[in-house]
Amino acid sequence: MSKIEEVKVLVETGKSKKVAAAVQEALDNGAKASEILEAMIASMGVVGEKFSAGEIFVPEMLIAAKSMAKGVDVLRPLLAGDNSASLGTCIIGTVAGDLHDIGKNLVTMMIESAGFTMVDLGVDVPAERFVEAIEENENVTLVACSALLTTTMPALKEAVATIKASGLTGFKVIVGGAPVTAEFAQEIGADGFAPDAGSAAVKAKELVA
Ligand code: B12
């Protein structure tokens, strides 16, 4: 088994204590950080399928998520590049009712490396909290909202509507997450959408340019 395959299996089976060392070994064997990240994201897809099929339950999903986070910790310095440019502050959070944060954390890392100062509000963020954060922070140029559940898509819509109705200006709103599409983003009045963390960074720069 290649080291990357080993990382995939460790994430899928939630062996959180072994993931960091396996990721490091994969890197030492010449694997690229981006390749390892893609493999771990694919593992989460497998975990989701097993959950849908009733083969595993929430605790196993949670342990897999923790395992992936350990792997991401090792990759972080390699993935987050030069952030010397200053494109302003980006407020980011997962919307109300939603506890998923792996994707949001990857997006945070990539947008930060694109040159933004990040303010991460965490998960289960009420719409009004996004507005407060825009008011509390200097030079907010971007607000990023994540939603991973079809059931929290209305909360994403509410977040965008509340932010837009606040009357505050000077920033763009970008949305994303597995169930979110470009069409939905447009429909709810967001300024931008991206399907993954890499393209989120590109879109973020484009939006504030
Ligand atoms: C891990 C996980 C959990 C963990 C989360 C832990 C954590 N710290 O995040 C826990 C165990 C808590 C969990 C709970 C639940 N989960 Co869950 N979970 C997952 C799982 C397996 C992986 C999610 C993940 O991390 N993916 C990897 C990351 C990298 O991908 P991503 O999040 O999509 O992010 C990328 C893009 O979407 C995008 N992106 C994300 N955010 C943003 C934001 C912006 C601005 C932009 C531009 C882009 C962007 O960029 C990211 C990086 O490339 C998915 C399955 C799956 N295939 O996704 C199910 C899944 C999302 N969960 C699901 C469900 C049903 C639940 C529960 C309701 C289960 C239950 N019965 O309790 C609860 C809900 C809890 C809640 N209120 O939120 C369903 C959702 C179904 C649906 N259609 O809505 C899924 C799809 C599983 C399934 N196949 O059924 N879950």
Side-chain angles (χ1 to χ4, degrees):
M1 204 191 307
S2 77
K3 277 291 157 198
I4 290 197
E5 278 164 24
E6 199 179 306
V7 169
K8 281 191 75 172
V9 172
L10 290 173
V11 170
E12 276 167 42
T13 53
K15 301 284 186 297
S16 65
K17 289 193 180 130
K18 295 187 176 167
V19 173
V23 167
Q24 190 55 56
E25 279 172 37
L27 288 169
D28 294 344
N29 284 1
K32 284 192 202 143
S34 57
E35 254 179 291
I36 303 172
L37 180 65
E38 273 168 34
M40 290 197 291
I41 291 176
S43 295
M44 297 314 284
V46 173
V47 169
E49 281 162 22
K50 285 188 181 167
F51 176 78
S52 293
E55 289 168 26
I56 61 163
F57 301 96
V58 170
E60 286 93 337
M61 250 195 327
L62 192 57
I63 297 168
K66 281 192 179 149
S67 305
M68 172 155 178
K70 299 269 184 207
V72 171
D73 282 347
V74 179
L75 298 179
R76 184 167 288 115
L78 302 168
L79 292 169
D82 169 34
N83 63 354
S84 54
S86 180
L87 296 176
T89 297
C90 172
I91 310 284
I92 190 165
T94 302
V95 299
D98 202 320
L99 302 176
H100 295 84
D101 70 357
I102 297 181
K104 170 191 67 68
N105 293 345
L106 291 176
V107 170
T108 302
M109 201 164 81
M110 297 310 288
I111 293 187
E112 181 169 34
S113 70
F116 289 81
T117 302
M118 302 304 291
V119 175
D120 188 346
L121 304 178
V123 296
D124 192 14
V125 179
E128 303 72 32
R129 181 70 196 105
F130 283 103
V131 175
E132 280 167 19
I134 300 165
E135 286 168 338
E136 285 163 6
N137 288 279
E138 304 252 304
N139 192 23
V140 175
T141 52
L142 190 68
V143 182
C145 308
S146 176
L148 254 286
L149 297 168
T150 44
T151 50
T152 55
M153 288 170 81
L156 185 61
K157 182 177 180 179
E158 194 194 333
V160 175
T162 307
I163 294 164
K164 293 281 179 181
S166 69
L168 299 167
T169 54
F171 56 85
K172 294 284 167 57
V173 180
I174 184 170
V175 296
V180 183
T181 60
E183 291 72 33
F184 182 72
Q186 203 179 10
E187 193 186 305
I188 64 173
D191 302 301
F193 158 80
D196 55 55
S199 52
V202 174
K203 190 74 193 175
K205 273 190 185 173
E206 205 180 289
L207 284 171
V208 307

